[in-house]
Amino acid sequence: MSLEDAFADGPAFIPYLAAGDPDYESSLEYVEALERGGADIIELGLPFSEPIAEGPTIQNAVVRSLQGGMTPTRFFEFVEDLDVSVPLVCMTYYNLIYRYGDEPGPRPFVEKAASVGIEGFVVPDLPAEESDPLREACDEFGLDLVFIVAPTTRGERLERIMEQVSGYVYVQARLGTTGAQSEVSDETGSSLGRLDGYDVPKAVGFGISSGEHAERIVRSGADGIIVGSALVDIVAEGHERGSDPKTVADRLETLARELKDGAVAGASQRPPHPERT
Amino acid sequence: MSVDGKFGNYGGQYVPEALMPAIEELEDAYERYVLNNEDGFMDEFRTRLREFGGRPTPLQRADRLSERYGREVYLKREDLVHGGAHKLNNALGQVLLAKYMGKDRIIAETGAGQHGTATAMACAHLDMPCEIYMGERDINRQRPNVFRMKLNGAEVNPVTVGRGTLKEAISETMRDWATNVEDTHYVIGSVVGPHPFPSMVRDFQSVISEEARTQAREKMGRLPDSVLACAGGGSNTMGAFAEFVDDEEVGLYAVEAGGSTLEVDEDAGVAPNSASLTTGSEGILHGARTTILQDHDGQIMESHSISSGLDYAGVGPELAYLVDIGRVTAVNVGDDDALTAFHRLSQLEGIIPALETAHAFGYLERVAGPDSTGEADDLGEFVVVNVSGRGDKDLESAIEETYERDIDIAPNMDEFTGGL
């Protein structure tokens, strides 16, 4: 299934977890729990040692995963070992993509990712200006390249990004780094408004942590929601308390279902969109 | 010199999307104010450098070093800039630029604390609120500078993630910038980061080589045969080299921190040095493509140097490029030799150098000292060493490190009650 297809039957719920957090085996269970909870696409983080776009929650997840021995090679094994059927997106920083394999440049990484069944990439430190080599490799192997649009992205920059994006566009709900918030940003409506004219699914992320947030975001026009830190918090708490991985997986599944249900509820309350009717 | 942010394969802008509009705004401001002197920006910068910063700094003949090394050794005295290091040139330039841009908050990262101090001073001078991110480990190593920052009214935010050094402080400052990008300017402390920082910081620092070039003609009646500067991120290096790059006859030597050894343990993710030009490879870190210390997967390695100011896993993209094309020679000096040079310069010339700077003198000793093997022929007759900063900030760690080693020229403090 392609990334865009995942949006066909209503709002897509896109959870994120760092692969290998806190260890390989538990992490496999956690990611699979997300699918049981209703995930339509899963963003899998391949940890990089300098995650400059992430807040403390995901930063700590990255540290745990790296300490657990996660590497790009292990990451691809992880994807192969996963028992999920929804599309997977690899979220990582450009240096890991650039350095992989015997030749410099992104091609070997993309080729390997395609061979294990990855459907696309999100690369937070790769703006559209620098993304041609990765875009070309993605085109060659039939993968999508998801770009992030920030509240500060306007005008020509927005157009440049929207020309390059495929799969879905990741709409950053507020400025700053990743991290769960108790209040979800009110900037979402205006961010989505700027993207109205573009024919690609819009998934909103940054700060969503509850079913109520999900409902509100989808009601304001999002085609999908992306949730990372709120889920990673569950993994972190389980790790700190030494909880049984099964219990942690159940908690993840429960929150995932709440988020998915919230998104679905939001869609049913949405006023008919002039361009979609 | 590049104005588009690319130095061969290096440079570029690899940052989160939220920062891109700020980077574009900065690019525009850099071109207008710095390159085209709009609204007399560069005139004001030069005036403030002179009156607040104490420029020009002397190019001083070092009599006893000249004698020891059998050639004419001149010192470019950046340690005499206000605050005690070249760092003020850049900090003053960027804080002033932020004012011209209408920003109302300054953030910066610091390793040894010298850039943080310079930024805090520039902010106090220009009446701008200032927050500095500094690794916890560096805070412990550089307490006097932490105190100086706070004296100047800056807030100092400790960074506890990772090993708590410069690399983590830069990442943390980028996160703050991504959150507060609309009213905040990030004063990057070296010729690193996304374009336009490497070019802009070089331009602010190039006053060093601009002065040195003129002073060399006055004092030596010619250009020097070689210029030596220590290299961490590379800001004093690029400052000391910039105006000499086109003078092909002038040899340029970037002296990196060789740390405890040049051997790199990839499996442990540790480089016991900060010699990215010597032991690193091409990659993308903190917004630029450059030479970095990384393992075979592309994870950034922990670096090490006796000097916090050189303890960084990357280097400026322009410097990496100049080394690649053979215009700059990258060499390195380890912790022990740097510390010995720290003592030697203090004793022979009455100048206590920063531990960063001591690396450049360590190289001079190795190739031209009494035990050298004759490599110094390449340095030529007239040598300029950039004294990037003074060593007051390093005294605490110098005392500690000295007593861990057997340095025969170190002062004997045992005669005083309790030692040190």
Side-chain angles (χ1 to χ4, degrees):
Chain A
M1 195 205 282
S2 83
L3 294 184
E4 204 154 340
D5 292 343
F7 292 82
D9 302 323
F13 165 49
I14 310 172
Y16 163 97
L17 281 180
D21 172 28
D23 62 77
Y24 191 93
E25 292 300 327
S26 312
S27 185
L28 283 172
E29 269 192 60
Y30 298 164
V31 175
E32 287 163 8
L34 297 176
E35 185 181 43
R36 289 197 299 277
D40 299 291
I41 294 171
I42 296 172
E43 287 185 359
L44 261 190
L46 163 56
F48 177 52
S49 55
E50 312 305 314
I52 55 174
E54 318 295 352
T57 302
I58 291 178
Q59 225 184 317
N60 289 333
V62 165
V63 171
R64 286 191 297 270
S65 171
L66 288 173
Q67 282 172 348
M70 184 49 71
T71 64
T73 305
R74 279 296 269 165
F75 177 82
F76 291 129
E77 289 165 11
F78 185 90
V79 172
E80 286 184 312
D81 286 345
L82 265 181
D83 185 16
V84 295
S85 56
V86 296
L88 296 172
V89 169
C90 168
M91 182 156 185
T92 194
Y93 286 76
Y94 193 52
N95 199 46
L96 297 190
I97 295 176
Y98 183 76
R99 292 292 301 182
Y100 186 83
D102 294 333
E103 51 176 302
R107 194 177 177 279
F109 189 93
V110 177
E111 183 175 18
K112 180 68 187 175
S115 78
V116 297
I118 296 276
E119 296 286 349
F121 297 106
V122 183
V123 190
D125 66 339
L126 190 70
E129 285 78 357
E130 309 282 358
S131 67
D132 283 352
L134 181 58
R135 174 81 263 172
E136 281 163 27
C138 283
D139 288 347
E140 182 182 346
F141 294 102
L143 269 67
D144 285 315
L145 188 50
V146 174
F147 280 90
I148 298 172
V149 168
T152 44
T153 311
R154 292 193 166 78
E156 273 180 40
R157 282 204 56 71
L158 186 62
E159 279 175 37
R160 204 178 307 152
I161 292 171
M162 297 311 283
E163 274 168 21
Q164 297 245 22
V165 76
S166 67
Y168 56 94
V169 58
Y170 187 141
V171 182
Q172 187 177 328
R174 55 170 169 75
L175 281 176
T177 52
T178 55
Q181 305 276 306
S182 53
E183 285 300 315
V184 75
S185 172
D186 291 328
E187 291 175 79
T188 311
S190 63
S191 292
L192 287 169
R194 274 184 282 131
L195 298 171
D196 255 354
Y198 298 98
D199 185 24
V200 61
K202 290 109 195 156
V204 174
F206 275 51
I208 302 172
S209 65
S210 68
E212 189 264 321
H213 287 170
E215 188 177 327
R216 191 132 55 93
I217 295 280
V218 172
R219 197 167 55 218
S220 65
D223 301 306
I225 53 157
I226 302 169
V227 181
S229 297
L231 296 161
V232 173
D233 276 338
I234 293 176
V235 175
E237 198 186 299
H239 178 64
E240 278 158 27
R241 291 188 183 170
S243 308
D244 171 36
K246 173 78 177 64
T247 313
V248 177
D250 287 346
R251 283 192 203 127
L252 286 167
E253 186 181 335
T254 304
L255 179 58
R257 188 161 297 118
E258 180 194 324
L259 290 158
K260 170 72 181 180
D261 290 349
V264 171
S268 67
Q269 302 157 21
R270 196 152 58 185
H273 194 290
E275 285 171 27
R276 294 195 184 98
T277 50
Chain B
M1 283 183 188
S2 161
V3 288
D4 67 358
K6 293 283 164 73
F7 307 98
N9 235 352
Y10 299 120
Q13 297 170 320
Y14 296 85
V15 293
E17 173 55 30
L19 288 180
M20 283 304 291
I23 299 259
E24 287 181 340
E25 185 189 352
L26 184 62
E27 222 177 314
D28 177 60
Y30 166 58
E31 281 172 24
R32 283 166 47 205
Y33 297 121
V34 181
L35 298 181
N36 299 321
N37 192 28
E38 197 174 304
D39 298 340
F41 171 83
M42 285 304 284
D43 302 326
E44 180 174 352
F45 172 55
R46 294 292 168 125
T47 303
R48 288 184 187 274
L49 265 186
R50 200 166 56 238
E51 295 179 359
F52 177 69
R55 302 208 69 95
T57 61
L59 182 70
Q60 177 214 339
R61 184 178 186 276
D63 296 342
R64 294 181 70 191
L65 290 187
S66 296
E67 192 182 328
R68 181 176 180 89
Y69 299 126
R71 66 201 66 227
E72 295 290 308
V73 178
Y74 282 82
L75 308 179
K76 180 60 179 162
R77 298 290 307 276
E78 289 303 291
D79 58 318
L80 295 179
V81 176
H82 177 49
H86 72 289
K87 292 287 184 186
L88 185 75
N89 305 329
N90 169 49
L92 191 62
Q94 284 199 50
V95 176
L96 187 63
L97 186 67
K99 266 198 119 71
Y100 273 61
M101 290 169 73
K103 300 284 176 184
D104 47 33
R105 175 174 176 259
I106 293 290
I107 54 172
E109 92 297 320
T110 197
Q114 211 58 40
H115 171 60
T117 301
T119 306
M121 288 187 319
C123 284
H125 174 63
L126 292 164
D127 190 21
M128 283 279 254
C130 176
E131 280 182 53
I132 308 286
Y133 289 89
M134 186 170 186
E136 204 164 46
R137 180 185 157 92
D138 286 338
I139 287 180
N140 293 329
R141 287 201 279 187
Q142 301 288 347
R143 288 191 312 155
N145 266 340
V146 177
F147 190 62
R148 289 207 292 171
M149 285 178 245
K150 291 177 82 83
L151 271 178
N152 284 306
E155 271 183 52
V156 179
N157 303 322
V159 179
T160 53
V161 292
R163 213 166 54 96
T165 58
L166 181 58
K167 174 167 75 70
E168 290 81 17
I170 292 181
S171 295
E172 203 56 38
T173 320
M174 286 204 164
R175 291 188 186 98
D176 181 317
W177 200 27
T179 310
N180 303 294
V181 65
E182 285 165 319
D183 66 350
T184 299
H185 175 68
Y186 173 13
V187 180
I188 288 189
S190 192
V191 286
V192 301
H195 175 68
F197 283 105
S199 299
M200 183 173 74
V201 177
R202 171 205 65 210
D203 289 351
F204 288 141
Q205 292 293 0
S206 64
V207 64
I208 302 172
S209 46
E210 189 184 296
E211 286 174 9
R213 212 168 174 281
T214 310
Q215 291 163 328
R217 288 199 189 281
E218 286 164 13
K219 300 202 167 217
M220 310 170 191
R222 48 166 292 182
L223 292 181
D225 293 309
S226 54
V227 180
L228 273 63
C230 63
S235 73
N236 93 87
T237 331
M238 282 311 306
F241 292 175
E243 298 295 321
F244 290 112
V245 167
D246 292 336
D247 303 317
E248 297 278 342
E249 71 276 21
V250 180
L252 304 173
Y253 292 81
V255 187
E256 295 195 288
S260 51
T261 169
L262 290 180
E263 298 294 318
V264 167
D265 185 348
E266 284 217 12
D267 293 330
V270 172
N273 59 70
S274 306
S276 15
L277 291 168
T278 314
T279 63
S281 52
E282 187 190 334
I284 292 111
L285 175 63
H286 292 144
R289 181 190 299 248
T290 184
T291 300
I292 56 183
L293 296 172
Q294 57 186 329
D295 68 15
H296 44 69
D297 288 328
Q299 303 289 2
I300 309 307
M301 290 202 273
E302 300 295 352
S303 56
H304 161 82
S305 169
I306 193 173
S307 157
S308 333
L310 300 181
D311 195 351
Y312 179 58
V315 66
E318 185 173 13
L319 190 53
Y321 169 70
L322 291 173
V323 169
D324 264 15
I325 61 168
R327 180 64 192 97
V328 169
T329 306
V331 295
N332 59 81
V333 162
D335 289 344
D336 293 353
D337 289 347
L339 190 62
T340 306
F342 172 88
H343 287 286
R344 186 179 298 108
L345 189 70
S346 304
Q347 287 170 21
L348 292 184
E349 294 291 343
I351 295 170
I352 300 172
L355 283 172
E356 290 91 326
T357 310
H359 286 74
F361 289 97
Y363 181 70
L364 195 57
E365 173 72 12
R366 187 203 305 160
V367 299
D371 298 328
S372 72
T373 51
E375 296 158 89
D377 294 347
D378 293 341
L379 293 184
E381 178 63 19
F382 287 87
V383 180
V384 169
V385 186
N386 192 34
V387 185
S388 57
R390 69 174 189 228
D392 306 42
K393 70 181 173 70
D394 290 323
L395 288 184
E396 278 193 34
S397 48
I399 291 169
E400 204 176 294
E401 298 284 351
T402 298
Y403 280 87
E404 281 174 16
R405 293 170 169 80
D406 183 23
I407 295 175
D408 55 5
I409 60 170
N412 180 3
M413 302 298 286
D414 295 340
E415 62 196 87
F416 303 110
T417 314
L420 268 182

